[in-house]
Amino acid sequence: MKRTASAACAALGAAIALSLAPASADTVSEPVLKTELEGMPGTEANIVVFDVDPDWETEHHYHPGHVFVYVIEGTVKIDVDGEDPVEYSAGEAFYERPNISMIGSNASTTERAKIVVFQVGESGKPLMISN
Protein backbone atom coordinates (compact mmCIF):
# COMPACT_ATOMS: atom_id res chain seq x y z
CA MET A 1 0.00 0.00 0.00
CA LYS A 2 1.31 3.44 -0.93
CA ARG A 3 1.92 5.92 1.87
CA THR A 4 -0.35 8.93 2.16
CA ALA A 5 0.96 12.08 0.53
CA SER A 6 1.14 14.78 3.14
CA ALA A 7 0.45 17.82 1.03
CA ALA A 8 -1.87 19.32 -1.46
CA CYS A 9 -1.94 17.97 -4.98
CA ALA A 10 -2.84 18.52 -8.44
CA ALA A 11 -5.37 19.51 -8.09
CA LEU A 12 -9.73 21.86 -8.34
CA GLY A 13 -13.76 23.98 -9.18
CA ALA A 14 -13.28 26.27 -12.04
CA ALA A 15 -10.44 28.18 -10.34
CA ILE A 16 -8.47 24.98 -9.77
CA ALA A 17 -9.08 23.80 -13.30
CA LEU A 18 -7.62 27.02 -14.65
CA SER A 19 -4.75 27.09 -12.16
CA LEU A 20 -3.55 23.52 -12.59
CA ALA A 21 -4.11 23.12 -16.31
CA PRO A 22 -0.87 23.87 -18.15
CA ALA A 23 -0.79 25.80 -21.41
CA SER A 24 -0.92 22.66 -23.58
CA ALA A 25 -4.01 22.41 -25.77
CA ASP A 26 -4.23 18.65 -25.11
CA THR A 27 -4.69 18.90 -21.35
CA VAL A 28 -8.35 18.94 -20.36
CA SER A 29 -9.92 19.93 -17.04
CA GLU A 30 -13.60 19.39 -16.43
CA PRO A 31 -15.26 20.93 -13.36
CA VAL A 32 -17.87 18.42 -12.18
CA LEU A 33 -19.31 19.97 -9.02
CA LYS A 34 -18.94 23.04 -6.83
CA THR A 35 -21.32 23.25 -3.87
CA GLU A 36 -21.70 24.66 -0.39
CA LEU A 37 -21.83 21.92 2.27
CA GLU A 38 -25.06 21.83 4.26
CA GLY A 39 -24.51 21.96 8.01
CA MET A 40 -20.97 23.32 7.48
CA PRO A 41 -21.39 27.08 7.02
CA GLY A 42 -18.63 28.68 4.96
CA THR A 43 -17.42 25.34 3.55
CA GLU A 44 -17.59 24.18 -0.05
CA ALA A 45 -16.63 21.09 -2.03
CA ASN A 46 -15.14 21.07 -5.53
CA ILE A 47 -14.72 18.09 -7.85
CA VAL A 48 -12.67 18.35 -11.06
CA VAL A 49 -11.51 15.70 -13.55
CA PHE A 50 -8.12 16.27 -15.18
CA ASP A 51 -6.95 14.47 -18.33
CA VAL A 52 -3.31 15.51 -18.60
CA ASP A 53 -0.54 15.32 -21.14
CA PRO A 54 2.68 13.37 -20.77
CA ASP A 55 5.16 15.55 -18.83
CA TRP A 56 2.30 17.66 -17.34
CA GLU A 57 3.36 19.45 -14.14
CA THR A 58 1.69 21.91 -11.77
CA GLU A 59 3.34 25.03 -10.44
CA HIS A 60 4.90 24.84 -6.98
CA HIS A 61 1.81 25.39 -4.81
CA TYR A 62 -0.29 24.50 -1.79
CA HIS A 63 -4.02 24.09 -1.15
CA PRO A 64 -5.72 25.75 1.83
CA GLY A 65 -8.34 22.95 1.82
CA HIS A 66 -8.28 19.17 2.13
CA VAL A 67 -7.60 17.38 -1.18
CA PHE A 68 -8.45 13.81 -2.17
CA VAL A 69 -7.26 12.40 -5.51
CA TYR A 70 -8.25 9.21 -7.36
CA VAL A 71 -6.14 8.11 -10.34
CA ILE A 72 -8.32 6.81 -13.17
CA GLU A 73 -5.58 6.24 -15.79
CA GLY A 74 -1.80 6.46 -15.88
CA THR A 75 0.51 7.42 -13.02
CA VAL A 76 0.93 10.72 -11.21
CA LYS A 77 3.85 11.84 -9.06
CA ILE A 78 3.42 13.97 -5.95
CA ASP A 79 6.54 15.80 -4.80
CA VAL A 80 5.91 17.26 -1.35
CA ASP A 81 8.55 19.65 -0.02
CA GLY A 82 10.94 17.83 2.31
CA GLU A 83 9.71 14.33 1.39
CA ASP A 84 10.58 11.73 -1.23
CA PRO A 85 8.31 11.90 -4.30
CA VAL A 86 5.52 9.30 -4.38
CA GLU A 87 3.88 7.82 -7.48
CA TYR A 88 0.24 6.71 -7.64
CA SER A 89 -1.15 4.53 -10.43
CA ALA A 90 -4.61 3.84 -11.84
CA GLY A 91 -6.94 2.57 -9.11
CA GLU A 92 -5.06 4.26 -6.27
CA ALA A 93 -6.20 7.24 -4.21
CA PHE A 94 -4.45 9.57 -1.80
CA TYR A 95 -5.08 12.44 0.62
CA GLU A 96 -3.20 15.72 0.70
CA ARG A 97 -3.22 17.81 3.84
CA PRO A 98 -3.84 21.56 3.59
CA ASN A 99 -1.15 24.24 3.51
CA ILE A 100 1.84 22.09 2.54
CA SER A 101 3.86 23.02 -0.57
CA MET A 102 4.24 20.56 -3.41
CA ILE A 103 4.31 19.86 -7.14
CA GLY A 104 2.08 17.34 -8.91
CA SER A 105 2.97 15.82 -12.28
CA ASN A 106 2.30 13.07 -14.79
CA ALA A 107 5.01 10.48 -14.11
CA SER A 108 5.10 9.43 -17.77
CA THR A 109 6.82 11.14 -20.68
CA THR A 110 4.73 9.19 -23.22
CA GLU A 111 1.32 8.33 -21.67
CA ARG A 112 -1.55 10.54 -20.53
CA ALA A 113 -2.92 10.46 -16.97
CA LYS A 114 -6.47 11.05 -15.75
CA ILE A 115 -7.37 11.98 -12.17
CA VAL A 116 -10.42 13.00 -10.17
CA VAL A 117 -9.67 15.71 -7.61
CA PHE A 118 -12.03 16.40 -4.70
CA GLN A 119 -11.29 19.37 -2.43
CA VAL A 120 -13.09 20.64 0.67
CA GLY A 121 -12.25 24.11 1.91
CA GLU A 122 -13.45 27.53 2.97
CA SER A 123 -16.03 29.07 0.63
CA GLY A 124 -14.76 31.85 -1.58
CA LYS A 125 -11.09 31.24 -0.80
CA PRO A 126 -8.57 30.31 -3.50
CA LEU A 127 -8.37 26.56 -3.99
CA MET A 128 -4.72 26.62 -5.01
CA ILE A 129 -2.04 29.15 -4.10
CA SER A 130 1.24 29.31 -6.04
CA ASN A 131 4.41 29.80 -4.04
Side-chain angles (χ1 to χ4, degrees), residues 89-102:
S89 298
E92 295 183 306
F94 55 96
Y95 165 67
E96 301 173 339
R97 295 185 331 225
N99 303 316
I100 298 177
S101 295
M102 55 83 62

Side-chain angles (χ1 to χ4, degrees), residues 49-109:
V49 175
F50 291 93
D51 183 354
V52 300
D53 298 324
D55 286 331
W56 168 85
E57 185 173 276
T58 67
E59 296 177 352
H60 192 256
H61 68 280
Y62 67 92
H63 300 280
H66 297 270
V67 176
F68 305 85
V69 180
Y70 177 73
V71 182
I72 298 172
E73 298 173 8
T75 301
V76 295
K77 180 172 72 172
I78 305 304
D79 191 356
V80 175
D81 288 1
E83 298 182 13
D84 292 332
V86 179
E87 292 187 1
Y88 297 92
S89 298
E92 295 183 306
F94 55 96
Y95 165 67
E96 301 173 339
R97 295 185 331 225
N99 303 316
I100 298 177
S101 295
M102 55 83 62
I103 295 172
S105 63
N106 183 342
S108 177
T109 60

Side-chain angles (χ1 to χ4, degrees), residues 35-44 120-124:
T35 186
E36 292 284 324
L37 296 179
E38 189 172 330
M40 299 177 70
T43 304
E44 68 184 16
V120 176
E122 189 175 345
S123 299

Side-chain angles (χ1 to χ4, degrees), residues 18-41:
L18 294 173
S19 298
L20 292 183
S24 171
D26 293 332
T27 292
V28 178
S29 60
E30 179 183 347
V32 176
L33 176 70
K34 179 177 181 177
T35 186
E36 292 284 324
L37 296 179
E38 189 172 330
M40 299 177 70

